[in-house]
Amino acid sequence: MTLASTIGDVARLPAASSPESRARCRSCGTALTHIVTDLGMSPLCESYLRADQLNDMEPFCPLVVYVCDRCFLVHLQEDVSGDEIFRDYAYFSSYSDSWLDHCRRYTDQMVVQLGLTPAHFVVEVASNDGYLLQYFVQRGIPCLGIEPARNVAAVASAKGVPTLPEFFGVGLARRLAKEGKKADLLLGKNVLAQVHDLNDFVAGLKILLKPHGTITFEFPHLMRLLEENQFDTIYHEHFSYLSFLSTETVFAAHGLTLFDVEEVPTHGGSLRVYARHAEDRTRSLSQRARQLREREIAAGVATLPYYEAFDGRVTATKRKLLEFLIAARAAGKIVVGYGAPGKGNTLLNYCGIRTDFVDYTVDRSPHKQGKYLPGTHIPIHAPERIFATRPDYLLILPWNLKDEIMTQLAGIRAWGGRFVVPIPEVAVSP
Ligand SMILES: [Zn+2]
C-alpha cells in the first residue's frame, strides 16, 4: 500500500460532521446518536511504516465508538474501506504459541463434536496464513481458506492450505455454492468483528452453509471490553464490538440461529458462538447459551445506561499510564515495549506515547521487525534487542498474552527488569 493511494482514498470520504454522512447502524440502519467512547484521531493500526516512509503524511481517522439504540450493535462509523486496510496486511497469525495451541485444540474439538471425516468440507473465512486450517489438512479433512490479503494468502497456499485471495460476501458465497463447495463447518476466528458490510457477510454465510452444517465464529466479548476496560482493542480494523444478543439479532435477520456458545480466554475474553440454519431444528438452544443471554440481559447490554461510564474509565487509565511513565523517565529508567499488536497502537496513539517514553518495541514476527509503529514511529526490533540493552521496564502491549511473554522473557529479572501491564490498569510485576 502506498501512502499516496491511502491519502487519496481518505480524502474522498465525506466529512464526519456533515449531516449526510451521519453514521447509521451497519445492521439495522438506525441513525447513530450515542457515543460509547471517543479515542480521537488515530492512524490505521496495522499500517507499519518503513524507514523511507517516516517523513510522509499519514492518514489519521476518527476512532469513535457508537451504540445503536435500536439493536444495540456497538461499532465504529464508516471511515476507512476494508480494501484499504487489507491490501497489505502485516498480521501473520502463526507467531504466537498460545494462539496456535488454541487452534489445535479447536480442531480436535470440532472433529469429535461434529464427527468430521474426509467426506466433509471445512471453510474458514479470513484464514490468514493457514495457521488453523493446517490442522484440518493434517487430518485429511478437505478445506478451503478465504483470505483477502494477497501476501498472506500466498503464504497459506505455499504451505499446502488451499486459499482464495478474495473478500467474502454474498457474491463469493453464491459462486462457491454453485461449484458444490458448501460447508459442513463454516468458521471464522477474528473476522466477524472486522467486517464492514455485516449484512452482506452474514447473508453469505447463509448461502454457503449446508442444510445441517454448523457455523462457529469467535470474537472478543463486548462485556469483557466494557467491564475490564479493554479500550485498546478498539481500532479501525476492529469494526464491531459484539455481544451474544447483538450477534443473535444480526444472524436472525439472515435466517441463522445461534444455538450454543462457549466463553474462551483468547483476546482478553472471547465468545465462540455456534449457529445453524433457522430451518434446521435438529439442535435447540443450549443451557450455556440460555445462561449467557440471561446474564447479558441482566447486565443491561440491551440498554443505554450500560454504556455510560466507560468513557470516564478510559480517560482515567490514560492518566495512570502517563503518570507511571513520567515518573519512570524522571527517575532515569529505560522503558521499552514488547509486541507490536494493533491494540498497542491504539494505546500508544491515544495516550500520546512516543520514543520520549518508550525507546523501542520488539516483535517475534520478522514481517514487523525493522519497521515503525504507525503514528508514534516507535521502532520495532527483534526480541534479542532486550537482552542487549537491558531495560528497566518492559511494557507488554499484547497484555492478553502476558503469561506467555513473562515466562519467555523471565531472563530480564537477572538485571532487575520488570514487566508492566497497561490494562485493565497499570500493574508492575514485583
Ligand atoms: Zn442497529
Side-chain angles (χ1 to χ4, degrees), residues 3 47-56 368-373 377-380:
L3 277 171
S47 297
Y48 299 90
L49 302 173
R50 296 186 311 267
D52 64 297
Q53 295 174 312
L54 291 176
N55 290 333
D56 295 343
K368 292 180 182 175
Q369 292 165 8
K371 292 189 174 169
Y372 295 79
L373 299 183
H377 293 192
I378 293 173
I380 309 168

Side-chain angles (χ1 to χ4, degrees), residues 25 28 68 71:
C25 174
C28 75
C68 171
C71 73

